[in-house]
């Protein structure tokens, strides 16, 4: 082999080595670049993990918030329970108040009504109590009822009044007015009264002459008979709207 050939061979080998070295260096750069990309990718992955951790932390906070909401709901439930308790207490107070009111009414209701046996009846005859015999139309007379018993009693409403003749053969059950009434309590010795509208007459025909009046207190069946002290009445026993009628007590 000549010297020139040997020199060319040596140059080729050197060139190949340099090319190989360049390729190796290029491969190293490529690997470094890949490693750098991976590293760069790892960093975002790390951030994602951090974000996930933050999300988990946030989730924990949300859970804590939910627990807080639960606690608030629990407080609301307690408040609701308290409200119910207060409502029940208020209702109980109302019932208690109603009981006191009922007790007060009960005390009043404990007074019995006035019975016939405990009352005395009489026509009021003094002063202006006498009906006007010359009145043109309605005039009135009063019947006084007195509690002759030893206890208070309650009375109110319409008494029954039956007028009757001397021999009792001709009776007149007086109609009632449409007036409203209440109830009053009579202590022993106290009196009340009711009025009778009467149509007096001096005519010799079409009249009715009472001799007595049977007075029956409200809600009673027994009557008290009292003497009729006045003159004759217009006979309207069969009239639909007679001018002689009874007004209520109270």
């Amino acid at each position: 082999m000549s010297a020139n050939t040997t020199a060319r061979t040596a140059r080729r080998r050197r060139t190949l080595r340099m090319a190989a070295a360049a390729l190796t260096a290029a491969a190293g750069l490529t690997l470094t670049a890949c490693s750098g990309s991976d590293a760069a990718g790892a960093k975002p992955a790390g951030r994602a993990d951090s974000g996930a951790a933050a999300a988990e932390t946030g989730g924990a906070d949300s859970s804590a918030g939910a627990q807080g909401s639960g606690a608030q709901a629990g407080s609301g439930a307690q408040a609701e329970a308290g409200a119910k308790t207060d409502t029940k207490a208020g209702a109980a107070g109302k019932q208690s108040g109603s009981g006191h009111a009922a007790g007060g009414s009960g005390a009043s209701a404990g007074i019995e009504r006035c019975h016939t046996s405990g009352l005395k009846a009489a026509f009021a005859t003094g002063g202006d109590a006498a009906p006007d015999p010359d009145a043109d139309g309605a005039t009135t007379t009063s019947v006084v009822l007195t509690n002759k018993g030893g206890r208070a009693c309650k009375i109110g409403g319409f008494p029954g009044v039956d007028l009757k003749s001397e021999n009792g053969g001709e009776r007149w059950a007086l109609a009632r007015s449409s007036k409203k009434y209440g109830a009053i309590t009579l202590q022993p010795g106290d009196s009340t009264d009711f009025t009778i509208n009467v149509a007096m007459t001096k005519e010799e025909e079409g009249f009715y002459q009472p001799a007595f009046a049977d007075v029956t207190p409200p809600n009673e069946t027994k009557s008290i008979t009292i003497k009729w002290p006045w003159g004759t009445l217009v006979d309207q026993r069969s009239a639909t709207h007679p001018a002689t009628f009874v007004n209520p007590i109270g």
Side-chain angles (χ1 to χ4, degrees), residues 136-139 163 170-176 196-201 205-210 232-246:
D136 183 13
T139 183
L163 302 180
E170 296 183 16
R171 299 181 68 88
W172 185 358
L174 299 187
R176 298 174 178 179
I196 303 174
N197 280 50
V198 293
M200 307 292 291
T201 183
E205 295 182 358
F207 68 89
Y208 177 82
Q209 178 60 62
T232 58
L233 302 174
V234 177
D235 189 357
Q236 295 180 318
R237 285 177 288 175
S238 59
T240 304
H241 299 289
T244 299
F245 54 84
V246 179

Side-chain angles (χ1 to χ4, degrees), residues 9-250:
T9 302
R11 283 196 298 271
R12 287 175 185 166
R13 287 177 181 172
R14 192 180 299 113
T15 301
L16 290 173
R17 285 193 205 102
M18 291 176 65
L23 290 172
T24 302
L29 290 172
T30 303
L31 289 173
T32 302
C34 292
S35 298
S37 300
D38 291 344
K43 287 181 181 178
R47 292 192 193 100
D49 292 343
S50 299
E56 288 177 1
T57 304
D61 292 342
S62 300
S63 176
Q67 290 176 358
S69 300
Q72 291 175 357
S75 301
Q78 291 175 356
E80 184 178 357
K84 288 182 180 178
T85 302
D86 293 341
T87 302
K88 289 180 181 178
K94 287 181 181 179
Q95 290 176 356
S96 176
S98 299
H100 289 306
S105 299
S108 177
I111 300 176
E112 291 187 3
R113 74 170 186 270
C114 297
H115 298 289
T116 303
S117 58
L119 294 172
K120 179 174 65 176
F123 277 101
T125 57
D128 297 334
D132 182 3
D134 298 322
D136 183 13
T139 183
T140 61
T141 181
S142 297
V143 175
V144 179
L145 297 173
T146 304
N147 180 6
K148 65 177 183 179
R151 295 182 179 181
C153 65
K154 187 182 293 185
I155 191 168
F158 285 94
V161 177
D162 286 15
L163 302 180
K164 58 184 182 180
S165 61
E166 185 67 39
N167 59 9
E170 296 183 16
R171 299 181 68 88
W172 185 358
L174 299 187
R176 298 174 178 179
S177 71
S178 58
K179 289 185 178 179
K180 294 182 180 180
Y181 59 87
I184 58 175
T185 298
L186 296 180
Q187 298 296 332
D190 285 353
S191 298
T192 186
D193 68 342
F194 65 92
T195 61
I196 303 174
N197 280 50
V198 293
M200 307 292 291
T201 183
K202 294 181 178 180
E203 298 293 332
E204 296 182 358
E205 295 182 358
F207 68 89
Y208 177 82
Q209 178 60 62
F212 304 98
D214 287 342
V215 177
T216 306
N219 302 309
E220 291 290 295
T221 56
K222 294 181 179 179
S223 61
I224 305 169
T225 301
I226 55 178
K227 187 174 179 60
W228 178 262
W230 319 120
T232 58
L233 302 174
V234 177
D235 189 357
Q236 295 180 318
R237 285 177 288 175
S238 59
T240 304
H241 299 289
T244 299
F245 54 84
V246 179
N247 295 304
I249 302 168

